Amino acid sequence: LNTPTANQQFEQGATVSLKATATDEDGTVRQVAFFAGNQLLATDTLAPFEWNWANPTPGNYQLTARATDN
């Protein structure tokens, strides 16, 4: 996950841009899934892998991205 960076803060009502880089040495990346904790937020099947999280509920989140290869 490239953005947002660790401990980055946002104003309430802001859109949070999630961007990830993923590569596969012996094939292609089929998709990247974006998570807040265990909750799936979105998946993107085309590079560059990104998604805009519009108006998230205020709070602290552990954001991650998980790539799936072909």
Side-chain angles (χ1 to χ4, degrees), residues 10-70:
F10 298 89
E11 295 290 327
Q12 185 172 349
T15 296
V16 178
S17 178
L18 291 95
K19 296 180 182 181
T21 301
T23 59
D24 183 3
E25 292 180 12
D26 64 351
T28 59
V29 174
R30 189 176 83 206
Q31 72 178 21
V32 171
F34 296 99
F35 292 87
N38 293 324
Q39 179 187 358
L40 175 64
L41 298 173
T43 58
D44 191 354
T45 59
L46 298 172
F49 301 104
E50 54 191 18
W51 182 70
N52 290 320
W53 189 9
N55 198 25
T57 303
N60 294 314
Y61 296 94
Q62 180 181 359
L63 300 174
T64 57
R66 183 181 310 146
T68 304
D69 71 2
N70 63 338

